[in-house]
Amino acid sequence: MWGLMAVSAVGFAVQSVPPYLSGDAADAVLPLNPDVALHYLSLTVHAVPGGLALALGPLQFVNRLRVRRPTLHRVVGRVYMMSIVIASIAAAVAAAVTISGFAVQVAFSILVMAWLYTLAMAYRSIRRGEVQLHRIWMIRNYALTFAAVTLRAYLLLGLQLSPSMEFEAIYTAAVWASILGNVLVAEYFIVQRMLAPLARRQQRRDAPLLSTPV
Ligand code: HEM
């Protein structure tokens, strides 16, 4: 799963960011708002650090690297955080001026807030030395970062499965599905792989106390 995630994250970043590096608005994949001169620039300032965060994220989940090279983990973590702060501010602008419709604006605005909130919580927990909590918040945060990849996957799937449907409807559904789907997968992973073992251990520890007659 990690390999699939890492390859698709890097692959998507390498393929989707270049149109926003040329400085030529005609290269934009998305239709731009003709009334907003800075629309293309907002997508560039969003996509470049967004792509960097997407590509760096998987490295941070490699246990061996984190244990053996803690300084590298810290440096990459800071670059990841700064990238998301810049990408999310630009995303808020892109969401405000997009011509993709109101439902898309609402979805991206929620995504921006959740992206920043989970990042802030991850940072706060590690500053307090709460390592497990930091991991949980980073899983949530990267699940949101990875929505950029699943969005395009759902979009391609939707276009293949429903060629007669309007592009805007498929795009809107793909945006919402990518956010909800990734959040659900992240929460499932957190509960099954992290919280359930802790809860079982706690229950085993409490069992003798609970079975003691009063
Ligand atoms: C998870 C938080 C993210 C939010 C809230 C967000 C928000 C947005 C918004 C509002 C747009 C314009 C959409 C439109 O006009 O319909 C956009 C486009 C774009 N985003 Fe993001 N994005 C996020 C993550 C990422 C990441 C991690 C990347 C990594 C490369 C990325 C790359 C792009 C690209 C390349 C575009 C231009 C559209 C395209 O060419 O397909 N985004 N994003």
Side-chain angles (χ1 to χ4, degrees):
M1 284 305 278
W2 181 88
L4 188 66
M5 182 179 83
V7 168
S8 51
V10 174
F12 172 74
V14 167
Q15 174 260 321
S16 70
V17 176
Y20 300 93
L21 294 175
S22 66
D24 183 355
D27 290 339
V29 178
L30 280 179
L32 299 177
N33 187 331
D35 299 326
V36 181
L38 295 180
H39 192 177
Y40 177 79
L41 182 65
S42 76
L43 288 175
T44 301
V45 177
H46 164 66
V48 174
L52 188 62
L54 191 64
L56 290 177
L59 273 183
Q60 297 299 82
F61 293 106
V62 180
N63 272 332
R64 209 185 302 169
L65 201 67
R66 206 170 50 226
V67 172
R68 289 194 187 163
R69 308 282 304 273
T71 312
L72 182 68
H73 181 79
R74 233 171 273 137
V75 171
V76 173
R78 286 195 186 126
V79 175
Y80 178 88
M81 279 187 48
M82 285 311 299
S83 303
I84 289 187
V85 170
I86 297 167
S88 59
I89 293 168
V93 175
V97 303
T98 181
I99 52 169
S100 299
F102 183 65
V104 166
Q105 287 184 307
V106 172
F108 279 130
S109 304
I110 291 173
L111 187 53
V112 165
M113 287 186 280
W115 212 18
L116 286 173
Y117 180 74
T118 51
L119 189 73
M121 293 305 282
Y123 181 69
R124 192 173 81 156
S125 48
I126 202 58
R127 297 300 298 176
R128 292 177 169 180
E130 299 163 340
V131 178
Q132 288 302 328
L133 215 51
H134 171 70
R135 288 199 71 192
I136 289 176
W137 282 112
M138 282 316 299
I139 291 170
R140 288 184 174 139
N141 181 267
Y142 192 70
L144 298 175
T145 306
F146 200 72
V149 178
T150 45
L151 190 167
R152 273 70 181 189
Y154 291 137
L155 187 59
L156 287 179
L157 194 70
L159 292 171
Q160 290 297 317
L161 295 180
S162 320
S164 58
M165 215 167 162
E166 266 185 38
F167 176 84
E168 197 178 312
I170 298 176
Y171 182 65
T172 306
V175 171
W176 278 102
S178 65
I179 299 172
L180 289 178
N182 285 19
V183 166
L184 289 176
V185 170
E187 291 306 316
Y188 177 84
F189 184 86
I190 289 165
V191 171
Q192 290 299 323
R193 300 287 291 272
M194 302 183 74
L195 301 183
L198 279 178
R200 285 191 203 108
R201 229 174 293 147
Q202 178 77 38
Q203 195 168 351
R204 275 199 296 274
R205 224 176 294 144
D206 292 348
L209 297 175
L210 294 173
S211 60
T212 309
V214 194

